[in-house]
Amino acid sequence: MRLIRFGDAGHERPGVLTADGRRLDVGTFGEDWNESFFGSDGPARLEAWLRAQGDTCPVVDDDVRLGPCVARPSKIVCIGMNYTDHARETGATPPTEPVLFFKSTTSLCGPFDDIVVPVGSVKTDWEVELAVVIGARASRVSEEDALEHVAGYALHNDLSERQWQLERGGQWVKGKSFDTFAPLGPYLATRDEIPDPQALRLWLTVNGERMQDGTTGDMIFGVATLVSYVSQCMTLLPGDVISTGTPAGVGLGMKPPRYLKGGDVVELGVEGLGSARQRVIAAK
Ligand code: ZN
């Protein structure tokens, strides 16, 4: 099943993307894709409801905006340097334990929304990633049980302002949390749709030029390891997002480095999770 949210920013409504590509408005199901939904076996309940009620759901026009595919979660946990070739391109040694950082939940936006370059930024960068959405609350779960705590997966662009992230002291969160720096979607694919999260191709282009082209098989720490590891440090709540890191090909790693500017167009995708497109605009 593929879950979407559609409508104006901040007023999104829940929907479902059907196998034949139609968007259904499932507002009468009465729930948003949030902690309460995921934490109460929501996807299974929704699936049963759709079998009975699906024919009565209005179809949403294709030109209606898509929002982030989950409602604002309690946290977005990101994994840094989780692909060896990306760690190397940034000059870092591949880590021996997962590198964790946070991204503000207010940075979430829709998969086709504009990316706003922050005021004064000259180092805004892209990162295509596989995002994991938590289903069942996870605290100190084993690797063996970890995937049972996953609701599904989504495409994420982990945008980064490299000066704020790397040159201004303190923690990476500063450069990761600007508004519009977390386009998520187009949809959440429930776990049954992605039998092996370590066998997905992921790619990103800027103005049509291929920048990133990798596979989740190259992650240093796979999804099950990450969910288990993060859950040793903190309780993961239903709806929480873990973004699992990016392969090589970010602007920071180029010689010379290359960053986003107004007018650029970023397109990205993960196999099985659709594609997204964001126009870059300068801050007003
Ligand atoms: Zn990242």
Side-chain angles (χ1 to χ4, degrees):
M1 196 169 44
R2 297 178 173 182
L3 307 182
I4 58 171
R5 295 170 72 254
F6 64 91
D8 293 340
H11 302 279
E12 288 91 351
R13 292 165 53 82
V16 169
L17 189 64
T18 65
D20 58 3
R22 286 173 307 140
R23 301 167 167 190
L24 297 185
D25 179 340
V26 297
T28 52
F29 180 66
E31 300 180 37
D32 199 357
W33 313 148
N34 57 19
E35 180 181 343
S36 154
F37 169 76
F38 290 112
S40 58
D41 218 8
R45 289 187 295 105
L46 175 63
E47 207 154 23
W49 183 88
L50 278 170
R51 275 195 293 274
Q53 307 285 335
D55 291 344
T56 68
C57 295
V59 174
V60 182
D61 284 344
D62 283 345
D63 57 0
V64 173
R65 171 185 176 271
L66 287 181
C69 57
V70 298
R72 193 164 59 219
S74 85
K75 51 195 169 292
I76 303 172
V77 184
C78 293
I79 311 300
M81 308 293 175
N82 198 29
Y83 289 75
T84 305
D85 51 356
H86 171 61
R88 293 226 167 92
E89 75 176 341
T90 66
T93 307
T96 54
E97 293 221 14
V99 172
L100 268 57
F101 62 93
F102 277 122
K103 197 169 177 85
S104 164
T105 59
T106 48
S107 61
L108 276 176
C109 67
F112 299 95
D113 288 355
D114 293 338
I115 296 164
V116 181
V117 172
V119 173
S121 167
V122 292
K123 295 188 179 178
T124 293
D125 203 350
W126 56 83
E127 295 187 348
V128 62
E129 305 201 0
L130 170 69
V132 176
V133 179
I134 297 298
R137 177 187 167 100
S139 175
R140 298 188 53 78
V141 300
S142 66
E143 282 188 34
E144 292 68 35
D145 294 340
L147 292 185
E148 297 299 314
H149 294 260
V150 170
Y153 302 94
L155 168 63
H156 179 220
N157 189 358
D158 173 24
L159 287 140
S160 313
E161 208 298 316
R162 300 299 189 193
Q163 282 188 327
W164 278 101
Q165 181 193 353
L166 300 169
E167 300 172 20
R168 302 188 66 161
Q171 300 188 331
W172 290 0
V173 62
K174 293 193 288 186
K176 295 285 191 170
S177 292
F178 292 92
D179 289 354
T180 76
F181 267 31
L184 187 68
Y187 54 80
L188 177 152
T190 48
R191 180 159 47 98
D192 56 294
E193 290 211 6
I194 307 290
D196 184 0
Q198 308 309 145
L200 308 175
R201 188 162 159 255
L202 65 176
W203 57 271
L204 181 145
T205 66
V206 178
N207 303 331
E209 185 181 341
R210 185 67 50 128
M211 299 298 184
Q212 296 188 274
D213 194 352
T215 164
T216 58
D218 288 340
M219 284 183 191
I220 298 172
F221 305 104
V223 172
T225 302
L226 292 173
V227 170
S228 171
Y229 187 93
V230 176
S231 83
Q232 310 303 313
C233 317
M234 67 189 84
T235 297
L236 290 164
L237 295 178
D240 281 357
V241 174
I242 300 177
S243 199
T244 57
T246 199
V250 302
L252 172 69
M254 294 182 176
K255 293 180 179 45
R258 177 168 166 184
Y259 296 109
L260 295 171
K261 56 186 187 315
D264 286 343
V265 174
V266 180
E267 293 177 274
L268 62 158
V270 176
E271 189 179 351
L273 300 176
S275 59
R277 180 181 195 274
Q278 295 120 25
R279 198 168 52 111
V280 180
I281 60 172
K284 292 190 183 73

